[in-house]
Amino acid sequence: MTSEAGPNEAFVWVWLPDATKPVIAGRLEKVGEQIFFNYGRSYLARKNAISLYDPELPLREGVLPLPKGLWMPSCIRDAAPDAWGRRVIINRKLGGRDRQTDTAELNELTYLLESGSDRIGALDFQQSAKDYVARESANASLDELLNAAEKVEQGVPLNPALDAALLHGSSIGGARPKALIQTDDVKYVAKFSLQSDLYNVVKAEYVAMRLAAEAGIETAPVSLRRTAGKDVLLIERFDRKRTDEGWQRQAMVSALTLLELDELMARYASYEELASIIRRRFARPKNTLKELFSRMLFNILCGNTDDHARNHSAYWNGRELILTPAYDICPQGRAGGEASQAMLIVGEERASQISVCLRAAPYFLISSEEAIAIARHQITVIQNQWMPICTEANLSEVDRNLFWRRQFLNSFAFEGAPPELDELVGQQPA
């Protein structure tokens, strides 16, 4: 929920399809603990206007009601910073303080208005309905950005130069330190390590993303860089397109928005229900269902239990939904054998097991034989490509031993699965 501190209104600007400049779309107003949206008349009069997301914010006059249980439009909340970005803004607004500062000290409109303008998707937020002024970053090297991220993690106030450099990435989601960088033609999300990491999380995500791509899953391209003696993961942004006229932005909504949920209700998010939405509302539903099933299964095989509903997204063009490339496939640390996924898989089941995925297959319009074939293919790819990709990442022998059969191809995942699948997995490849 929001707090009382901060502004009571903000204006929403949007990049329409194929546009390189934003237009004013409407106004957000905070009323008590809720935030409401209404479209501007000038926007509704546009022939090329699209809803920010149907059915949540349909193109019509007046203040739009909130879906049941929500305190602000979820498609707007998708564009707000998450834990890391909020810490950056707290550092800027409250002088650093310490790492335990309550992120509820600032209200949601403050986070929207204070975070960087190059946020995920096609929205931005301004104090003015007439003049758009982007909150741009200062030019900074990866070394400088890493230094700034470490200071925020420690609760140390940033000097103006570092503050401006890190602001740019404050609007992107997630809990881990990150920043935004770009070349002439490509924009990237840069992810950094935490001082408290017990293993190389950056390289673990790189390995998982590369293996997913090798298995045929559509993933965001990734690369590794080394700066200041530390590893940095670069993920190519798929919501931006460079043209001769400038950068175009693609509108996106999270699975949390598709499911009409917020963070407090995220535990109810379900792959089964998401599959139902895909059947009804997505372009190319059959192919999309197979892709989502493959991602769900791969998350289990690589130990990514953080597959929450904001880690799945769809492009929105005003008419239809299209699944975005996969991102944030990051194996999670685990102390014991058993594990569960952040999203329900089928019914009330969320155990991180192949057998549960196989029971869910009919909801994805996939036969049992095809589901087993997908699992067989993924296991074989992980088995065969493990060593080449670990070598590519220069992953240490200690981390390889830590990940193999703990996160990647964990034995719990195979309990109750067809024996032919378990038989595919041998010892760690040489």
Side-chain angles (χ1 to χ4, degrees):
M1 296 292 289
T2 57
S3 75
E4 294 303 316
N8 289 317
E9 73 171 7
F11 295 95
V12 181
W13 292 67
V14 62
W15 278 254
L16 291 168
D18 301 324
T20 56
K21 294 182 179 180
V23 297
I24 177 69
R27 176 175 178 264
L28 291 169
E29 181 181 13
K30 182 176 180 291
V31 180
E33 291 297 324
Q34 295 180 311
I35 296 175
F36 296 91
F37 175 78
N38 67 279
Y39 288 103
R41 292 179 181 176
S42 63
Y43 186 76
L44 291 173
R46 286 180 168 274
K47 292 182 179 180
N48 62 342
I50 66 171
S51 72
L52 300 190
Y53 172 61
D54 266 341
E56 186 176 48
L57 297 178
L59 275 177
R60 65 172 186 244
E61 294 182 352
V63 175
L64 299 174
L66 294 169
K68 184 178 179 180
L70 298 186
W71 56 275
M72 73 177 293
S74 191
C75 66
I76 299 292
R77 177 60 183 84
D78 282 342
D82 282 335
W84 171 251
R86 289 167 192 249
R87 287 180 63 181
V88 173
I89 293 167
I90 285 172
N91 188 292
R92 160 181 282 241
K93 298 288 287 183
L94 305 180
R97 296 197 182 178
D98 60 46
R99 67 184 67 190
Q100 302 303 322
T101 301
D102 185 0
T103 58
E105 287 194 38
L106 304 175
N107 78 7
E108 198 67 26
L109 295 184
T110 299
Y111 288 119
L112 292 175
L113 290 168
E114 292 289 337
S115 49
S117 290
D118 202 9
R119 67 190 70 245
I120 301 301
L123 302 181
D124 193 22
F125 306 92
Q126 300 279 306
Q127 293 178 325
S128 171
K130 296 181 178 179
D131 301 311
Y132 178 81
V133 180
R135 295 176 294 282
E136 300 288 0
S137 70
N139 291 326
S141 66
L142 275 178
D143 197 352
E144 291 169 321
L145 290 169
L146 178 60
N147 180 32
E150 288 178 344
K151 287 183 180 296
V152 169
E153 186 186 353
Q154 296 162 6
V156 177
L158 300 178
N159 63 44
L162 286 180
D163 181 62
L166 205 58
L167 169 69
H168 194 42
S170 62
S171 57
I172 51 181
R176 296 187 61 82
K178 56 180 66 69
L180 296 176
I181 63 173
Q182 73 176 67
T183 64
D184 290 339
D185 299 315
V186 183
K187 295 195 176 192
Y188 300 92
V189 175
K191 288 189 175 182
F192 308 118
S193 300
L194 283 168
Q195 293 180 332
S196 58
D197 286 342
L198 299 178
Y199 58 89
N200 197 317
V201 176
V202 164
K203 285 188 176 180
E205 183 170 350
Y206 174 85
V207 170
M209 290 284 286
R210 287 282 293 109
L211 285 170
E214 290 291 324
I217 292 170
E218 185 185 4
T219 60
V222 293
S223 59
L224 283 171
R225 294 277 294 275
R226 186 83 174 165
T227 184
K230 295 187 177 181
D231 297 301
V232 179
L233 178 68
L234 299 183
I235 305 103
E236 188 172 324
R237 292 185 64 172
F238 46 78
D239 62 335
R240 295 291 185 268
K241 181 181 178 181
R242 178 72 171 174
T243 70
D244 292 339
E245 290 75 33
W247 289 95
Q248 295 177 355
R249 304 190 180 194
Q250 290 190 267
M252 290 167 47
V253 290
S254 70
L256 203 62
T257 294
L258 297 175
L259 294 165
E260 299 183 3
L261 302 173
D262 66 9
E263 283 78 7
L264 296 178
M265 299 183 282
R267 65 185 181 278
Y268 301 115
S270 162
Y271 280 107
E272 180 184 338
E273 179 59 28
L274 184 55
S276 175
I277 293 170
I278 288 171
R279 292 197 300 271
R280 301 193 311 268
R281 303 194 56 212
F282 273 62
R284 305 185 299 276
K286 186 170 178 58
N287 290 340
T288 303
L289 287 167
K290 182 178 179 180
E291 175 72 12
L292 182 63
F293 180 87
S294 298
R295 296 182 189 187
M296 177 179 71
L297 180 60
F298 187 84
N299 281 330
I300 287 173
L301 293 176
C302 79
N304 177 30
T305 55
D306 192 35
D307 58 338
H308 58 79
R310 285 207 188 278
N311 279 346
H312 301 276
S313 294
Y315 296 121
W316 167 249
N317 62 11
R319 303 182 308 278
E320 60 187 4
L321 295 156
I322 299 172
L323 198 64
T324 70
Y327 56 95
D328 279 355
I329 304 177
C330 186
Q332 304 296 305
R334 55 202 295 170
E338 295 187 6
S340 58
Q341 298 305 116
M343 285 178 58
L344 294 164
I345 297 174
V346 60
E348 296 301 313
E349 295 185 80
R350 64 172 83 237
S352 305
Q353 294 182 311
I354 297 169
S355 60
V356 180
C357 290
L358 297 183
R359 287 197 289 277
Y363 296 98
F364 294 81
L365 306 183
I366 293 173
S367 67
S368 176
E369 293 76 13
E370 186 178 7
I372 291 172
I374 293 170
R376 183 188 305 113
H377 172 67
Q378 291 189 2
I379 294 165
T380 301
V381 167
I382 294 172
Q383 180 83 7
N384 292 342
Q385 296 300 316
W386 170 255
M387 288 304 287
I389 290 177
C390 285
T391 300
E392 183 180 296
N394 197 25
L395 190 67
S396 71
E397 184 176 356
V398 171
D399 279 343
R400 294 185 197 196
N401 292 335
L402 176 65
F403 297 150
W404 187 252
R405 297 312 306 268
R406 289 179 178 84
Q407 280 92 345
F408 293 86
L409 304 186
N410 183 275
S411 59
F412 179 70
F414 289 83
E415 291 183 11
E420 66 180 275
L421 298 180
D422 199 17
E423 291 169 0
L424 292 172
V425 185
Q427 299 300 312
Q428 180 171 337

